[in-house]
Amino acid sequence: MSGMQRPSRIVVGSWVRFAGQVRAIVGVTAKSATLSDADGGQVEVPIGELTVDPDLAVVDLPVRTPLPAQSRLETFPPQAVEKALWWEDHILEVLHGYRPDAVPDTAPRPGYGLGTSLTARQRAKAAELTAAGHEVSASAIANLRRRYQADGVLGLVDRRAAPRTPEFTAVDARVVAAMRAAISEGVDASTRTGSYLIWRTGEILRQTPEAQGVELPSRSTLYRLLAKLTRGTHTFGAASTRRSRAHGAKTPFGELPAFAPGEVMQIDSTPMDVMVLLDDGVPGRIELTAMIGVATRTLTAAVLRPTTKAVDASVLLARTVTPEPQRPGWAEALRMSRSVLPHRRLLSLDERLEHAAARPVIVPEMIVCDHGKAFISRNFKSSCRFLEIDFQPAHKGSGFEKGHIEKMLASIASLFVQFLPGHLGRSTDHRGRHPERDRLWSLLELQELLDEWIVAHWQNRPHDSLRDPAHPSRTFTPNEKYATLVEACGHVPVALAGDDYIELLPTEWRAVNDYGIKFKHRVYDTPGLDALRRQGSGITAKRGLWEIHRDPYDVSRIWVRDHRAEDRPWIEATWKHLHRAPVPFGELAWDHVRHQRPGATEPEIADAVAALLTRAHAGPDRPAAGKSGRRDRRVAARTRATATAAAVPPKDSPTPPAPAPEPEPEPADGGRPLAKVIPLGLFDPLEDPWRRT
């Protein structure tokens, strides 16, 4: 019920309180007003009698008792609820003249009839209850009646029956403020214990003039207060999580809506918890840089590098917008033509998809990233401008703004990395002994396994965030969601052209010799370089060297820009020993005549994933770098050092006599004889000084 007031005028259609009831004015004359009756009839009341009634008031709508809040009633003791229900029966009789349990067609009791005013009914109820032993005044009845009309039966409950515990009990508010200040000081600091925060609270109190003389409560009370104030703040947890929560949004926030493939994409990098063999053959750790589509959860590209640089982010972007080739040795179930992706529709747009793997090609419209140097670099920003991509860095310390890629990187650790040899665990507490002695994969080999795992497992794994709104219990895979959104959006963006892909690759400057181009100890050559051999490019700033572009994850070929040609400026040169080395990114060599059964079944995909994980866990087909291998390397190093020192005698020393012939040692390690070991006391910085011999 809204507010009530004495009427300034009486008009037809108004609702008024008269004689203890709310009635509608259905007619007005100069001498009388016609009101609706409780029995459905009408009653005519003289204007003078109507206006002098003390209860007369205009109401906007008929009085309706609020529904009882049963859930809040459960917070009170049963005795208090029972007493409130007892009061409800009496208040209803005051309001309507009848008790709720009255038999139909029963006349109101004396003092509660239709002609009795609300004030008279309240006096009658007070007298009745006082006579029955419940002493109460008419004003108390009126107060209960108003509370009932406002809050229903909940307004009749004695609130003292369910006392609430204060938030901080009896702790002084100044102590609470000091502890809050101590907690906020540690947001950007290193993680400390509760004893430090309690000590710091006392220091802040002593330094605050308004808190002079305030005594700290007991230590147990302070710890309980600290537990309440630090709940959900990660004060004693990870510092990165604590900073993210403290600097994040304090008001309700949402996320960028993504309804089409590529509308919003996220990119990030993280160290991988696995050891690999780097280019120099030494075990080391690497970083994973990946990009994911928010709408489809498609892992469009993922690359491995020892350290992520700006050029690696640009290469990742180039891989996102180009088809993933089906590699030799991959299961036939991983072909795009046998997946749920709309292969025929996409093939009409890009013929390169004929031999593509089942991974969608998505052109980003917006890329969300953090403030890593590789992503805010000029190289990556220029690549985004070239492809007309909206570049959107997240706020600093707000990892939740790109939570999809953060969660995806953590999923790769549990779904793929832990199956690899050389697994390190997420921290030193979870690390095994000597993971570097496993059969480690090389960087290029592991990149090949990761690409196959993305196509085989990730793109065909039901994702909990990809659900049908009409059927929430059903989950989709990234490939299924992509196919669904393509039909809903009504268009498919055209992938990047081949020349554009080459433009995004890293640039090097090399000379073209008679034997070809030497890069990273590999020689690349092709007949197309004949006109460029031992010739200058004419670019003075680069001393006449030729511009080459390379894919860091594809050692099979490079591209040379012929600045003098206008129609076809790129010359593709292949590795001279490509036919002798099993490189992961070799040329496609498929039998186009063999029969291809369309539609990969779920068991076929599952078998491909199982075989991939088994092969990844077994490691490459080479001996592990065990304890004996390390000893052999130390022996060989000492032998080379000794042989070098003995081969160059001092100038003033006499010529040493020819040594006696030594017996030929037994062949070892592939038939190569080992030199005689001279036990010199050489210093080995890698040797454990505490190891017992």
Side-chain angles (χ1 to χ4, degrees), residues 344-529:
R344 292 185 178 179
R345 178 175 179 179
L346 298 174
L347 186 61
S348 62
L349 300 174
D350 193 341
E351 296 180 355
R352 295 174 297 177
L353 296 177
E354 182 178 358
H355 305 298
R359 192 213 71 187
V361 179
I362 299 179
V363 177
E365 296 182 15
M366 174 185 291
I367 293 181
V368 179
C369 62
D370 56 18
H371 290 261
K373 293 182 179 180
F375 307 127
I376 62 174
S377 63
R378 182 175 178 273
N379 192 319
F380 185 66
K381 289 182 179 179
S382 62
S383 299
C384 291
R385 285 194 300 268
F386 170 74
L387 295 175
E388 299 180 354
I389 298 173
D390 187 8
F391 178 77
Q392 183 63 55
H395 295 88
K396 292 185 177 181
S398 302
F400 61 87
E401 294 184 350
K402 52 182 184 62
H404 301 295
I405 186 68
E406 299 277 0
K407 180 65 175 177
M408 185 275 297
L409 294 175
S411 299
I412 290 181
S414 60
L415 299 176
F416 176 67
V417 176
Q418 66 171 338
F419 292 90
L420 299 174
H423 179 238
L424 299 174
R426 67 175 182 267
S427 66
T428 55
D429 296 335
H430 298 80
R431 187 167 301 169
R433 299 187 63 184
H434 309 299
E436 71 279 358
R437 297 182 182 178
D438 293 343
R439 297 178 180 271
L440 304 180
W441 292 101
S442 68
L443 183 60
L444 290 177
E445 290 170 337
L446 187 56
Q447 179 70 59
E448 164 76 3
L449 290 173
L450 178 61
D451 292 338
E452 184 178 359
W453 178 83
I454 292 174
V455 176
H457 183 70
W458 182 268
Q459 293 299 122
N460 296 286
R461 174 177 174 264
H463 200 287
D464 186 65
S465 298
L466 303 179
R467 294 185 178 272
D468 184 0
H471 307 281
S473 60
R474 180 188 176 187
T475 58
F476 289 94
T477 67
N479 280 352
E480 291 174 341
K481 189 66 175 181
Y482 176 84
T484 303
L485 292 183
V486 164
E487 297 298 330
C489 296
H491 74 282
V492 177
V494 179
L496 196 67
D499 291 347
D500 296 334
Y501 173 80
I502 298 175
E503 289 287 355
L504 291 177
L505 297 180
T507 304
E508 303 286 346
W509 296 86
R510 291 292 187 273
V512 180
N513 299 299
D514 292 335
Y515 54 82
I517 299 175
K518 190 173 184 179
F519 180 78
K520 292 284 186 180
H521 305 287
R522 291 184 291 267
V523 177
Y524 297 85
D525 199 5
T526 181
L529 296 177

Side-chain angles (χ1 to χ4, degrees), residues 670-682:
R672 186 162 131 189
L674 294 177
K676 181 179 179 180
V677 178
I678 302 176
L680 297 178
L682 299 179

Side-chain angles (χ1 to χ4, degrees), residues 31-362:
K31 297 182 179 180
S32 65
T34 304
L35 308 179
S36 62
D37 195 356
D39 298 330
Q42 297 178 356
V43 58
E44 186 174 351
V45 181
I47 294 295
E49 181 182 347
L50 180 66
T51 55
V52 298
D53 190 287
D55 292 333
L56 180 66
V58 176
V59 297
D60 294 337
L61 292 174
V63 176
R64 182 183 62 82
T65 303
L67 294 174
Q70 297 294 340
S71 58
R72 295 186 60 186
L73 287 176
E74 296 175 359
T75 62
F76 294 90
Q79 298 82 359
V81 176
E82 184 179 356
K83 184 68 176 293
L85 296 176
W86 178 81
W87 271 114
E88 183 183 25
D89 293 343
H90 294 286
I91 297 301
L92 287 175
E93 188 175 16
V94 171
L95 288 173
H96 305 295
Y98 298 92
R99 294 177 63 91
D101 55 352
V103 180
D105 299 332
T106 301
R109 294 193 303 155
Y112 300 97
L114 297 179
T116 308
S117 67
L118 187 62
T119 303
R121 293 179 189 175
Q122 292 172 170
R123 295 196 194 100
K125 180 58 67 175
E128 174 190 344
L129 293 178
T130 301
H134 305 283
E135 187 173 356
V136 63
S137 63
S139 61
I141 296 294
N143 185 36
L144 290 174
R145 187 257 307 167
R146 286 189 292 269
R147 286 165 53 184
Y148 181 77
Q149 290 176 329
D151 300 323
V153 69
L154 189 64
L156 303 177
V157 181
D158 187 359
R159 304 301 176 94
R160 298 169 296 178
R164 293 181 177 271
T165 304
E167 184 179 6
F168 303 115
T169 61
V171 180
D172 193 291
R174 290 168 290 185
V175 176
V176 176
M179 184 169 287
R180 289 186 189 273
I183 295 172
S184 62
E185 288 178 355
V187 169
D188 296 320
S190 301
T191 303
R192 291 184 169 92
T193 61
S195 59
Y196 167 82
L197 293 178
I198 292 177
W199 170 83
R200 182 59 184 155
T201 301
E203 292 294 311
I204 294 176
L205 283 175
R206 282 189 287 272
Q207 298 170 5
T208 305
E210 297 81 4
Q212 297 295 332
V214 177
E215 295 185 1
L216 289 174
S218 64
R219 201 164 184 82
S220 59
T221 302
L222 287 174
Y223 271 108
R224 288 194 296 269
L225 176 62
L226 183 63
K228 289 183 179 180
L229 295 179
T230 58
R231 186 177 295 117
T233 62
H234 281 261
T235 301
F236 308 112
S240 58
T241 306
R242 178 171 64 252
R243 291 192 297 269
S244 178
R245 285 184 173 273
H247 300 309
K250 301 298 187 298
T251 56
F253 59 92
E255 61 181 11
L256 291 174
F259 304 105
E263 187 173 0
V264 179
M265 304 190 73
Q266 298 178 357
I267 185 174
D268 199 6
S269 61
T270 185
M272 283 191 70
D273 301 325
V274 66
M275 300 285 289
V276 300
L277 289 180
L278 302 178
D279 292 344
D280 53 4
V282 177
R285 297 188 64 175
I286 55 177
E287 290 187 359
L288 167 66
T289 305
M291 183 180 296
I292 191 173
V294 175
T296 64
R297 300 302 194 273
T298 294
L299 186 52
T300 57
V303 295
L304 304 174
R305 294 293 287 168
T307 303
T308 302
K309 299 181 180 179
V311 68
D312 299 317
S314 298
V315 173
L316 183 76
L317 182 58
R319 286 186 171 274
T320 298
V321 295
T322 51
E324 178 73 34
Q326 174 81 0
R327 319 276 174 75
W330 285 14
E332 288 296 311
L334 304 185
R335 285 180 172 272
M336 182 182 289
S337 58
R338 299 192 60 190
S339 67
V340 297
L341 298 174
H343 179 254
R344 292 185 178 179
R345 178 175 179 179
L346 298 174
L347 186 61
S348 62
L349 300 174
D350 193 341
E351 296 180 355
R352 295 174 297 177
L353 296 177
E354 182 178 358
H355 305 298
R359 192 213 71 187
V361 179
I362 299 179

